[in-house]
Amino acid sequence: MWDALIAAIAAAVMSRASEDIGNAAQSTWTMLIGRVRARLGTGAALVDTGDRDAFERALRELLESDPEFAARAQALVQQAQGELGAASPIAVTVPSPALPERLAPRLLPNGPADFVNRTGALAALDEIHRTGALAAPDEIHRTGATAVLDEIHGTGATAALDGIRGTGRAGATPVVVLRGAPGIGKSALALRWGHQRQEWFGGGQLYADVRELPDALLTSPESTEAVVTTFLVAMGVPVGLLPDSFAARLSLYRTMTADRPVLLMLRGVALPAQVSPLIPTAPGSLVLVSTQHDVRGMAMDGAQFIDVGPLDDPAARELLAAVAGRERIEAEPAAAQRVIDLCGHLPIALRIVAARLRLDATTTVAELAGELTAEPYLLDALALPGAGNAVEPLFNNVYRHLGVKAQGLYRDLGVIPVAEVTDGLLERIGWRERAARRSAVDELLGLNLLERAGRDRYTLHPLIRAHAARLASESETGAETGAGAGAGAETGAGAGAGAETGAGAGAGAETGVGWPERVVAETVDYFCDLAESADRAIMGERRRLITGPARDDGPFDGPGRRVEALRALDRGREDLLRVTRAGLAIGADTQVARLATAAQALYFNRPYLADRIAMSELGITAAQRLGRADVEVQIRCTLSAAHSGAGDLTRARAEIDRALALLPAADDRVLAGTAWEFFARLLDRVARAAPEPEQAAAREEAEAAFRTTIDIYREVGLSRGVALGQLYYGVHLDAAGRSADALPLLEQARDGLNRAGDDRNATRAGAAIGAAHLHLGRHRRAYEELAAAAAYLAVAELWNYELEVRENLIVAATALGDRVSAAEHASRAAEIRRRSDPAS
């Protein structure tokens, strides 16, 4: 049975093959010859005498007496043949293996029993079927990732495999890397998919946690030797028959994974080199990498990255219900949603809080939500008895792999009171050197501690932000930990350059405040500039009682500046409030008053009444601290309008009464016109809501207030104010059924606003003219005016005003018998409601 093996070994030994074949397999043949000589003892002299027949007889006796050695010698021959390939000068017919029959190992550990990733899978499969490739990475959401993996492997899905690898090369095993924040569920996703698709991998499912290797970040690719050894044993190779060298074991591993499809799952990979030697070549195989490390270098070898994000609301609720009990979660849906939001939709955090509910049946979901809200450091609440904090160590482990500069930026991000960070903001707080800033940002992105929200815009998961905030609070001095150290001190520029380019050059250095306070102050100041630039782009050159200097390098310029500015404020509306509160806490009253004033540009055009009320109250506090009665009057007017819009006319009246009472202290006649304008508009709402017997008196009071408004504006020579007074007066008359009397006032208002260059309010006047014609039954004229106004408002994204215009257009089109146009306007109105709903 050893004829072919004996012939191969004899040919190699007697012909001194190791000296003639070159480097390709030289080491393997040398190892084989050395071992044969050693085992033959005195019989090795037969090689030197050239007696091949005697040598083969001695070799046969050796192999038959020691099957284990025979198997190891055979493995070396197989390895050498594989290394030489078709170019081998030695024709070797390898006998049937002496090894046991190869096993198909199933090494995947159990995944979590409460896995909830189901929704979205069909959508992902549909996309793959429709295009023959995967959707763009930013379209692959957490809920569809399982379906994505299914299609990657799917039998016959060549186009999908090419799409995920991005190369289209035939015969290469696809490598898929799951990336995401710590605790996001990368490994849970991989394990679920692997167990569901077990039958697809006839060669077995191999699994290794690379984090268990010693010092995995610093060692060479040979650090995977333990992994290869484990895999070989799992596939049926006896420990005693394992090749001695790592190279030989790796060759044997590749041989054993070359004919049947294998799923290889690696967890915690830190280096691309830890993956590439292990990639199986059997058709239908797949490598699945779950890691927190930055392995983006694998893209050069065709790897595809799937970003695993937080759970959506339905999946998060399902996870809570699976662990804590469905009845408890469904009984308190609002509290459950609050818990989900506080946990940032992070699966591991949700499992912990749900387990706390399960362990204590007396705690309600609302009580748990309250406890999480009250916890100064939220991560402390994410712990279980006997298990300690399960989330913070995950973040600590990733943080320790950051460089010093990136660690400094990470702590700065914990201080910045915003959810979305821009490149401009980082520059303002001290990261002025572009190269240092970009390097630190990229490092955080690579480890998924930061997410890209757009060009030069980034977001931080709320629990990661909490972790960064704790690290920032534990830092002793800003000079050692903040942007001064990260952006300046580490660039090699020296102390002088560091002081100029790092955080030390900012407000903190001038005022003597500490590092965290300086970062907050710079953030508030940055948002002041941003909000005021947006205010000017949206509202034009309206009168502003408190503002900073206009910046020539403002971010909003060109014909689309109004829309871009409104979008920017809309996108950052929650951050506006966070920054304003933070500014008030550190006593930045001037900036807070500026923010409260500039933010009205957003609130005039979006229905964020709760935000408007909160912002106005913060601004009033700041104005009172500053002793600025004029600013307080202006902000109380906007607060009154917000309460009026919310339907609370009593509180609205109280605020406008306070504003009117402050007018003597403000001593500003233009401001008096503004206060009377808001007063008149409130009285208009009061008149519309008044019972029928009281309406006449209420309308008379409102008309008197409108006339006073117009008179004051005329007195101070403010033609735009006169036109605005006429606009609101005309709208009041039209609502009171006096449309014919309203039209002349509205026409005058539009002319005056056009002369003032206020195209936004001139368009509103045109919409009011259209509404008056509609009420007079002049449907064609009404439709023309309204359609022109709707077109402008749609382009400008002024949804607050466009919605009412669309509703009037539906009435006008229906009266004209134009059902198609009526349906189009109804569809647009529905879209506006969806887009402008604060809860959406």
Side-chain angles (χ1 to χ4, degrees):
M1 63 178 292
W2 304 109
D3 291 349
L5 180 60
I6 290 171
I9 295 175
V13 173
M14 304 300 290
S15 65
R16 301 183 183 277
S18 66
E19 300 174 5
D20 301 330
I21 62 176
N23 294 327
Q26 192 175 70
S27 62
T28 303
W29 284 116
T30 299
M31 182 187 304
L32 172 64
I33 293 169
R35 290 185 179 181
V36 169
R37 281 179 173 273
R39 293 300 301 274
L40 286 175
T42 57
L46 296 172
V47 176
D48 301 322
T49 62
D51 188 345
R52 180 163 181 163
D53 290 340
F55 174 76
E56 289 187 357
R57 285 195 299 272
L59 183 60
R60 182 182 299 276
E61 291 177 5
L62 170 63
L63 297 179
E64 289 178 348
S65 64
D66 192 345
E68 181 176 329
F69 175 75
R72 298 180 70 176
Q74 176 180 277
L76 287 171
V77 171
Q78 289 176 306
Q79 179 177 331
Q81 183 184 26
E83 292 169 344
L84 288 169
S88 173
I90 303 172
V92 178
T93 303
V94 181
S96 300
L99 298 175
E101 181 179 355
R102 198 180 87 197
L103 304 177
R106 304 295 179 189
L107 301 186
L108 297 186
N110 284 330
D114 49 24
F115 189 83
V116 293
N117 184 25
R118 298 291 184 178
T119 61
L122 288 177
L125 287 170
D126 289 346
E127 176 68 14
I128 295 167
H129 180 269
R130 183 177 68 83
T131 64
L134 289 172
D138 60 351
E139 297 174 5
I140 301 174
H141 299 293
R142 172 68 170 82
T143 54
T146 297
V148 168
L149 293 173
D150 288 354
E151 182 61 22
I152 291 169
H153 175 273
T155 304
T158 304
L161 290 174
D162 289 345
I164 193 162
R165 292 185 60 255
T167 63
R169 293 177 296 176
T173 298
V175 177
V176 185
V177 180
L178 302 179
R179 299 174 67 248
I184 206 70
K186 301 179 292 295
S187 296
L189 170 61
L191 290 172
R192 170 54 65 99
W193 184 79
H195 285 297
Q196 286 181 337
R197 307 307 171 201
Q198 177 175 317
E199 71 278 4
W200 288 358
F201 301 101
Q205 295 170 305
L206 303 174
Y207 171 88
D209 191 338
V210 184
R211 298 173 303 176
E212 298 174 357
L213 296 176
D215 204 9
L217 273 176
L218 302 178
T219 51
S220 65
E222 283 74 12
S223 65
T224 57
E225 180 175 356
V227 175
V228 173
T229 300
T230 300
F231 288 170
L232 288 175
V233 172
M235 288 186 286
V237 180
V239 174
L241 299 186
L242 290 170
D244 291 338
S245 71
F246 171 62
R249 294 187 183 191
L250 188 58
S251 296
L252 180 58
Y253 164 78
R254 289 169 176 166
T255 299
M256 298 184 73
T257 58
D259 58 350
R260 290 190 293 173
V262 173
L263 171 65
L264 170 62
M265 179 180 170
L266 298 173
R267 185 177 183 184
V269 167
L271 298 169
Q274 293 172 321
V275 179
S276 54
L278 302 176
I279 299 176
T281 58
S285 295
L286 186 138
V287 178
L288 192 52
V289 176
S290 167
T291 185
Q292 188 57 50
H293 295 289
D294 187 355
V295 292
R296 288 174 292 177
M298 292 175 61
M300 293 188 297
D301 297 324
Q304 175 69 27
F305 296 83
I306 295 179
D307 290 327
V308 182
L311 297 173
D312 59 16
D313 283 341
R317 283 192 294 272
E318 184 65 24
L319 179 55
L320 285 179
V323 179
R326 188 168 305 279
E327 290 185 3
R328 295 179 73 182
I329 301 304
E330 292 180 350
E332 301 180 81
Q337 186 61 51
R338 179 60 180 157
V339 169
I340 291 169
D341 293 340
L342 287 167
C343 291
H345 297 69
L346 194 70
I348 189 171
L350 290 169
R351 285 192 177 94
I352 292 169
V353 296
R356 288 184 55 184
L357 288 172
R358 185 172 184 172
L359 291 172
D360 185 358
T362 65
T363 299
T364 67
V365 182
E367 288 171 343
L368 176 62
E371 182 179 337
L372 296 177
T373 302
E375 175 60 55
Y377 180 57
L378 182 57
L379 295 186
D380 282 344
L382 301 179
L384 290 173
N389 193 310
V391 178
E392 187 171 41
L394 296 177
F395 297 152
N396 286 336
N397 183 57
V398 180
Y399 174 77
R400 71 183 179 88
H401 292 311
L402 292 171
V404 178
K405 285 188 290 187
Q407 287 183 347
L409 175 58
Y410 184 73
R411 291 189 296 267
D412 280 350
L413 293 173
V415 176
I416 298 173
V418 297
E420 182 175 286
V421 180
T422 65
D423 206 46
L425 174 56
L426 294 179
E427 184 177 6
R428 177 69 66 88
I429 68 168
W431 292 83
R432 298 191 179 98
E433 285 192 5
R434 181 181 176 86
R437 182 174 72 248
R438 289 299 176 90
S439 175
V441 165
D442 188 65
E443 197 170 341
L444 294 179
L445 289 170
L447 293 180
N448 303 290
L449 296 175
L450 200 62
E451 296 180 11
R452 192 181 297 278
R455 180 178 175 84
D456 295 332
R457 296 189 291 111
Y458 315 97
T459 60
L460 206 66
H461 188 278
L463 294 185
I464 294 179
R465 179 177 299 281
H467 179 253
R470 165 165 279 188
L471 292 178
S473 68
E474 292 174 349
S475 300
E476 293 183 1
T477 65
E480 296 174 0
T481 61
E490 296 178 29
T491 60
E500 294 174 5
T501 61
E510 298 172 2
T511 62
V513 299
W515 156 64
E517 291 80 6
R518 182 203 54 75
V519 171
V520 173
E522 293 283 14
T523 301
V524 175
D525 203 53
Y526 173 84
F527 268 80
C528 278
D529 289 343
L530 180 69
E532 287 173 348
S533 294
D535 179 19
R536 292 186 180 93
I538 297 167
M539 305 297 292
E541 292 305 319
R542 67 187 179 102
R543 186 169 186 251
R544 296 170 176 87
L545 297 177
I546 185 167
T547 186
R551 296 173 63 96
D552 294 334
D553 60 344
F556 309 111
D557 195 11
R561 61 185 181 277
R562 174 178 289 161
V563 171
E564 290 304 315
L566 189 54
R567 287 177 180 174
L569 290 182
D570 204 2
R571 185 173 59 243
R573 68 184 183 89
E574 293 182 355
D575 282 341
L576 275 174
L577 273 173
R578 292 190 186 99
V579 169
T580 305
R581 291 191 180 100
L584 199 64
I586 64 170
D589 297 327
T590 298
Q591 288 90 339
V592 168
R594 288 169 57 192
L595 278 171
T597 301
Q600 300 305 319
L602 172 65
Y603 304 139
F604 285 150
N605 298 288
R606 293 288 188 268
Y608 304 142
L609 295 176
D611 287 11
R612 188 175 186 180
I613 290 170
M615 179 67 79
S616 297
E617 290 174 344
L618 293 170
I620 288 170
T621 299
Q624 289 174 336
R625 289 179 179 177
L626 293 169
R628 291 289 302 270
D630 55 342
V631 175
E632 184 179 351
V633 168
Q634 189 179 57
I635 298 176
R636 284 197 184 277
C637 287
T638 61
L639 179 56
S640 172
H643 284 306
S644 176
D648 192 343
L649 299 182
T650 300
R651 293 188 66 182
R653 181 62 183 260
E655 292 298 336
I656 201 65
D657 285 344
R658 291 174 187 169
L660 292 171
L662 285 168
L663 284 177
D667 192 21
D668 186 329
R669 288 297 289 168
V670 175
L671 183 60
T674 300
W676 274 92
E677 175 192 318
F678 277 89
F679 182 40
R681 290 163 61 184
L682 172 61
L683 292 177
D684 170 52
R685 282 187 174 269
V686 171
R688 298 188 194 199
E692 183 64 32
E694 301 174 13
Q695 281 188 358
R699 288 170 182 165
E700 183 177 345
E701 185 181 11
E703 289 182 32
F706 279 122
R707 288 192 293 269
T708 299
T709 299
I710 295 170
D711 289 343
I712 294 175
Y713 281 139
R714 281 201 178 112
E715 173 193 329
V716 298
L718 190 63
S719 57
R720 179 178 175 275
V722 171
L724 280 174
Q726 291 170 333
L727 168 59
Y728 294 123
Y729 192 8
V731 170
H732 169 76
L733 292 176
D734 184 39
R738 297 169 57 186
S739 301
D741 294 334
L743 276 172
L745 273 174
L746 294 173
E747 294 284 2
Q748 292 174 42
R750 180 161 64 179
D751 291 344
L753 291 166
N754 278 326
R755 285 193 299 271
D758 188 349
D759 56 343
R760 168 179 165 274
N761 282 313
T763 301
R764 293 178 61 202
I769 291 170
H773 283 298
L774 181 64
H775 298 150
L776 291 170
R778 301 168 185 169
H779 299 127
R780 175 59 59 188
R781 178 67 183 279
Y783 190 89
E784 292 170 353
E785 292 281 3
L786 292 167
Y792 173 92
L793 296 171
V795 172
E797 296 188 3
L798 301 176
W799 304 329
N800 242 13
Y801 306 118
E802 186 189 351
L803 180 58
E804 183 179 356
V805 175
R806 294 290 178 182
E807 291 171 342
N808 282 333
L809 277 167
I810 296 170
V811 176
T814 302
L816 292 169
D818 188 348
R819 295 181 179 178
V820 174
S821 295
E824 290 175 351
H825 295 306
S827 176
R828 173 60 180 168
E831 179 186 355
I832 293 171
R833 291 189 189 96
R834 287 194 300 271
R835 295 180 66 179
S836 61
D837 182 0
S840 64

